[in-house]
Amino acid sequence: MRAALAVSIGAWLATAPIVLATFNLATPVILIANLVLCPLVTVQAILALAALPLALLFPAGATAVGWAATGVFEATSWSASFLTRLPFAYLFLPAMPAWAAAAYYAGLGLWTWRARTAPDRWKPWLCAAFGASLALPALAAPGPDHPTFGCIDVGRGACAYLRTADGGTVVFDCGSLSYRDVGAAVAAPVLWSRGVTRVHTLVLSHADADHVNGARSLIERMRVARLIVPPAFDHPVLDFARLRGVEIVFAGRGSALPGFEILGPPPEADGTWPVNDRSLVVRATTPGGSVLIPGDIEELGSRALLGSGAALSADVFLLPHHGKRQDLHRELIAEVAPRLVIASAPEGYASREVLDHARRTADVYQTGIAGWLEIELGPEAPRVRGFREK
């Protein structure tokens, strides 16, 4: 048992940074899993190999062995499922920087050499220290100097985030028709690359797939604490969020939420309204500036927003419905009076008329052309940084 545990610890310590860089996973459960699952897998392999000659010589015996192998497989599957549900069985974390990985392996090599002569009482603590070091890059990651708004290129979909100087992170929508699971494939890796390991609020404007189909993976990977949705929101992600202990808030116009103004949907937006027009409309205000995110509102939602009497001005305006044309787009842009306008859409998807009109008074960006954008909301004019994969 001691030898088996030593092999498990050695393999985990040697491969942990590689697994972290490839899958953004730290897997302490593997130390126990190897001890439980390896014997089961070995027995299953022996039974499967035994069934091959028995199939030729004694078919009834081969059938019995096959049933036994199936039973061992079921035990293996159940054990793996149980182990992954243990507290801290696995953790989603940002990858270690190259220098940290190099330092880790240098330290591991020195520890391996020193362990041959070190007192036995120190060895378990040294092992634990190496395992804990995997989380150090995440713990040491600094927050931005100024509030930062990011809009991720997710193809046909929407996913944006707001990071504050105190380390808080809010994500607005997480969905795409261009990715099967945009939360796991795009949104979480982008946030990890910025040193974000926890999202305190996820805002889902409405239940269309291009705004919500990556939310489940994001909740799992980023330990989301609070989910804000419109009153009529109905999607299986709510059940998943409840199972994960996420606080769920149904919000409409006038809802009091710290750091946010909920400007829509209005109280009269019942089931007769189109789903897009029942989108949450959120204005986030920071010491450096403000951002207006109107979901997918169209004619009905835009008319209600313009007629609400609320102040709509914002430094950054995310165009509603991915920049598609609507009759009130001129009035909406004029009322918001943004410095920056963003269309979360592939090239050619947003309306040229809408974009050309916005360019008369603001700088305009499309994620399908500019890629992932980050906007620093400081005391001066917003500063834009683009990240486009080569």
Side-chain angles (χ1 to χ4, degrees), residues 250-379:
F250 291 89
R253 181 192 292 171
S255 297
L257 295 170
F260 302 108
E261 293 174 81
I262 306 298
L263 305 178
E268 63 269 22
D270 55 20
T272 63
W273 283 43
V275 172
N276 284 348
D277 286 308
R278 286 181 272 147
S279 293
L280 273 178
V281 179
V282 180
R283 182 167 67 172
T285 304
T286 73
S290 56
V291 182
L292 182 64
I293 304 167
D296 272 357
I297 59 171
E298 300 181 68
E299 302 296 336
L300 197 57
S302 295
R303 185 169 289 107
L305 183 62
L306 290 168
S308 67
L312 304 182
S313 61
D315 297 289
V316 181
F317 183 36
L318 192 62
L319 286 174
H321 206 187
H322 314 283
K324 288 186 176 180
R325 187 192 180 282
Q326 54 169 298
D327 290 342
L328 296 174
H329 71 268
R330 295 172 182 268
E331 291 86 344
L332 202 54
I333 292 173
E335 191 68 24
V336 177
R339 296 183 177 185
L340 296 174
V341 171
I342 302 174
S344 179
E347 184 176 3
Y349 192 78
S351 164
R352 179 177 295 179
E353 179 183 342
V354 173
L355 297 177
D356 287 345
H357 179 75
R359 287 191 182 99
R360 297 177 184 176
T361 55
D363 293 330
V364 177
Y365 297 87
Q366 295 181 72
T367 56
I369 298 174
W372 159 32
L373 299 166
E374 270 200 346
I375 301 161
E376 185 179 277
L377 302 171

Side-chain angles (χ1 to χ4, degrees), residues 21-115:
T22 307
F23 303 106
N24 290 106
L25 272 174
T27 55
V29 73
I30 205 69
L31 302 178
I32 304 172
N34 282 342
L35 300 180
V36 176
L37 300 181
C38 286
L40 290 172
V41 172
T42 301
V43 172
Q44 184 182 344
I46 292 171
L47 291 172
L49 291 172
L52 294 176
L54 284 174
L56 297 174
L57 303 175
F58 185 38
T63 300
V65 171
W67 280 107
T70 300
V72 175
F73 172 79
E74 295 293 341
T76 304
S77 178
W78 182 90
S79 300
S81 178
F82 172 78
L83 289 169
T84 56
R85 292 195 299 269
L86 294 175
F88 304 107
Y90 60 92
L91 302 169
F92 288 103
L93 295 170
M96 301 174 73
W99 64 266
Y104 175 93
Y105 279 117
L108 184 60
L110 290 172
W111 174 79
T112 303
W113 170 76
R114 183 71 178 90

